[in-house]
Each structure stands twice: as C-alpha cells, then as structure tokens.
Amino acid sequence: MPPKLHSFEISDKGIRIGNDLHTPDTIIAFWVEEGEKPLLLIDTTKFTAPNLIIPIEGLDPEKVRAALRPYAEEVPMK
C-alpha cells in the first residue's frame, strides 16, 4: 500500500503536515537534500513523529532553507 499523501506548509507558526502542526520549539534540526528527488528532512522532539521526510520537488531549496533557518540549524542527515 503506497503512503498517504499530505499537503504541507512552512510558516512562522512552524511546519504543518496535513492537520498536524510542528511548532518551532519542537524542531531540532533540518536538512535539505538536493538532487533528482529533493527532500526536506526534519528532526523533532515529538514522540509520535521524531523524523519527518517531506518531498519538496518543484520548490526552491533556498526558500525552504530560509523559511526554516530562524527555527533550527541545518545539519547533514540521511
């Protein structure tokens, strides 16, 4: 069964994935993986979702970084 697709939004309130909001105080670090299939990887303090993997194909990686830099450090992740 393929994974369920969710919409996501990055704002000053944090990262919203579907109906779940990850506020800035729960974001530990992030990494923008560029390449053929670009991804946004996020470490959080949330027990139920400690690691988030978000496809960002079609988005400007620099804009994604700029939106997250006020909340967390960009740290290489795999």
Side-chain angles (χ1 to χ4, degrees), residues 17-73:
I17 301 172
N19 293 326
D20 295 327
L21 179 63
H22 299 270
T23 56
D25 62 320
T26 65
I27 300 169
I28 299 168
F30 73 94
W31 177 250
V32 176
E33 182 71 34
E34 296 187 51
E36 189 176 319
K37 293 186 178 184
L39 298 171
L40 172 59
L41 307 166
I42 302 170
D43 280 343
T44 77
T45 60
K46 287 193 169 185
F47 178 74
T48 57
N51 304 102
L52 306 173
I53 302 170
I54 303 169
I56 56 169
E57 191 170 346
L59 298 178
D60 182 347
E62 287 306 316
K63 287 184 179 180
V64 173
R65 285 184 177 102
L68 290 170
R69 278 191 190 119
Y71 312 122
E73 184 179 358

